[in-house]
Amino acid sequence: MIGYWILLLITAFISYCCGSISTLSIASVFVFHRDLHRIGKKRMFVSNFRRLYGYKGFAKLILVELLRDFIPVLLGGLLLSIKGHADIGRAFAGFCLVLGRLFPVFNYFRGSHASVCMAVTMFCSNTSLGIVTGLLVLALTWLTRYLSLGAIAGALGAILVTFLVVDGNLLRMLLILTAAIVLVKNLPALRRISRNTEMRMSLEEDISYKFDEKF
């Protein structure tokens, strides 16, 4: 029993820390060899990044995000497989990963929407569940240009599909809890959207940088 708890603690620590590390920080060191945080924030970041690295750069960022999320989830499954509970290990690791993404210790507990790591967690636990979650996130994000709405739609879909396709009370509870915290964290965005203060995702070029100082 003690060994089981030790494995859970190791899984929680690794997964939470991985979730807390910014994708931009990882990509800055290992891929772009430049501090991406310095090229702007929010809309300015998207515009400047597109101008500097193009759509291939965005593809690399997505790949870094996926690797950052898949590795701890698969590692959690590997560790708990020692006790014959690989599925619980993956779900628990995903839950801790999402916590790190939503409340990162390295950024004063101010995180993001966590939609990608939620979809990765669902996919590693049940392929059908992961596909539905990922498609809902992508569809709502693309249609509305709001990342938060994509996260809300993906979380609601994940909760519903989990009830339908996932067996095992503990596994089902972990997956529903993972989706639920993403849902609750993103609900305040609905008020910001109604007030037109929520940032919308856009890949259109912003030429305002021409009037700014060089970054």
Side-chain angles (χ1 to χ4, degrees), residues 12-13 18 46 50 53 63 67 71 80 104 107 112 117-118 120 130 136 141-143 160 167 169 179 181 184 190 201:
F13 178 78
C18 286
V46 174
R50 176 176 176 267
Y53 300 107
L63 181 60
L67 286 174
I71 289 173
L80 269 294
N107 192 35
S112 65
C117 49
M118 174 182 64
V120 168
L136 285 172
T141 301
W142 178 259
L143 290 173
L160 176 61
D167 296 322
N169 291 332
I181 59 173
V184 171
L190 296 177
M201 183 184 69

Side-chain angles (χ1 to χ4, degrees), residues 170-188:
L170 181 56
L171 178 60
R172 188 184 301 116
M173 182 186 69
L174 282 170
L175 295 177
I176 290 175
L177 189 58
T178 299
I181 59 173
V182 174
L183 175 63
V184 171
K185 179 68 173 179
N186 284 279
L187 282 178

Side-chain angles (χ1 to χ4, degrees), residues 88 90-100 102-103 113-114 117-119 121-122 125 129 151 154-163 166 168-186:
I88 301 299
R90 289 190 292 269
F92 180 68
F95 171 73
C96 296
L97 179 74
V98 167
L99 282 180
L102 293 174
F103 309 102
H113 47 85
C117 49
M118 174 182 64
T121 300
M122 302 303 165
S125 300
L129 174 60
L156 287 172
I159 292 172
L160 176 61
V161 177
T162 296
F163 276 114
V166 175
N169 291 332
L170 181 56
L171 178 60
R172 188 184 301 116
M173 182 186 69
L174 282 170
L175 295 177
I176 290 175
L177 189 58
T178 299
I181 59 173
V182 174
L183 175 63
V184 171
K185 179 68 173 179
N186 284 279

Side-chain angles (χ1 to χ4, degrees), residues 50-65:
R50 176 176 176 267
R51 179 164 50 87
L52 289 170
Y53 300 107
Y55 291 105
K56 289 184 178 180
F58 282 110
K60 291 179 181 179
L61 271 184
I62 293 172
L63 181 60
V64 171
E65 175 97 5

Side-chain angles (χ1 to χ4, degrees), residues 44 47-48 51 205-215:
M44 184 178 291
S47 179
N48 288 337
R51 179 164 50 87
E205 185 174 5
D206 180 3
I207 64 172
S208 62
Y209 70 89
K210 295 182 180 180
F211 306 101
D212 298 333
E213 294 181 359
K214 293 183 178 180
F215 51 85

Side-chain angles (χ1 to χ4, degrees), residues 16-61:
Y16 177 79
C17 287
C18 286
S20 294
I21 300 174
S22 166
T23 301
L24 292 185
S25 298
I26 299 173
S28 296
V29 175
F30 296 104
V31 180
F32 297 98
H33 307 293
R34 174 181 185 173
D35 187 358
L36 297 179
H37 296 93
R38 300 185 63 182
I39 69 176
K41 294 182 178 180
K42 296 185 177 180
R43 288 188 180 91
M44 184 178 291
F45 171 82
V46 174
S47 179
N48 288 337
F49 186 86
R50 176 176 176 267
R51 179 164 50 87
L52 289 170
Y53 300 107
Y55 291 105
K56 289 184 178 180
F58 282 110
K60 291 179 181 179
L61 271 184

